[in-house]
Amino acid sequence: MDTIIVYASMTGTTELIARSIAGELARADWHVTVKDAVDTFAEELLAYDCILIGSYTWGDGELADEIICFHDELLAVPLSGKIAAAFGAGDSSYEQFGRAVNLLEETLENKGCQVIKPGLKVDGGSEEEIKTISFSFAKKINELTKPYDSE
């Protein structure tokens, strides 16, 4: 399945999640492109069957500054029928833990995507722990999309 993973990362955690998911999906014979949100135009998503978008949560539950322009462009792109999921890093000491993931899921649903829920919210941990959590999320995506891949 042709998949794009777009992410915004400040400390490197969301990028680690994105690249870990990509690696696991590639092992399952997916064709995966990974891009930083600041280097991506929303119209690029039209070329893919599956869209994964990641952002860390900033402030009191906002999207990362690095993904705002991409997100604004996304609002104008028709994505009906695409499979999608959201992921991101957050800090559970905040009331709005991982809210960026919820915001991205809502946007993808409003654009007509079939969103795999719940998205992945990562609350710190070692690099190995984050990779393990991300691999599990990728396996879930792979399993849940098999019916669509055979169409």
Side-chain angles (χ1 to χ4, degrees):
M1 184 171 297
D2 287 330
T3 302
I4 187 165
I5 302 176
V6 180
Y7 69 89
S9 190
M10 181 170 58
T11 64
T13 302
T14 305
E15 180 178 5
L16 175 61
I17 297 166
R19 295 198 180 281
S20 298
I21 291 169
E24 188 64 29
L25 292 176
R27 280 189 280 286
D29 294 324
W30 287 43
H31 305 279
V32 184
T33 301
V34 180
K35 294 189 76 173
D36 190 306
V38 297
D39 298 324
T40 309
F41 294 102
E43 284 195 3
E44 293 176 54
L45 304 183
L46 295 171
Y48 296 90
D49 306 307
C50 184
I51 301 161
L52 306 178
I53 304 177
S55 174
Y56 62 91
T57 299
W58 181 252
D60 192 30
E62 292 97 36
L63 290 171
D65 286 345
E66 297 88 346
I67 205 164
I68 295 292
C69 289
F70 173 81
H71 182 263
D72 289 348
E73 287 179 17
L74 189 61
L75 299 174
V77 178
L79 299 174
S80 291
K82 306 269 184 197
I83 298 166
F87 62 92
D91 183 339
S92 61
S93 67
Y94 286 89
E95 186 177 327
Q96 298 290 332
F97 169 64
R99 185 167 177 259
V101 173
N102 303 71
L103 294 171
L104 292 169
E105 286 176 340
E106 183 180 313
T107 298
L108 291 165
E109 281 182 327
N110 289 341
K111 297 308 301 172
C113 293
Q114 299 171 25
V115 179
I116 296 169
K117 286 181 162 182
L120 176 61
K121 297 178 182 181
V122 176
D123 185 17
S126 71
E127 185 173 319
E128 285 308 310
E129 289 169 330
I130 293 168
K131 285 181 180 180
T132 300
I133 293 166
S134 301
F135 293 158
S136 294
F137 187 65
K139 288 176 183 173
K140 173 183 168 182
I141 291 168
N142 187 43
E143 286 299 314
L144 292 174
T145 58
K146 282 184 181 179
Y148 302 103
D149 201 25
S150 61
E151 291 179 353

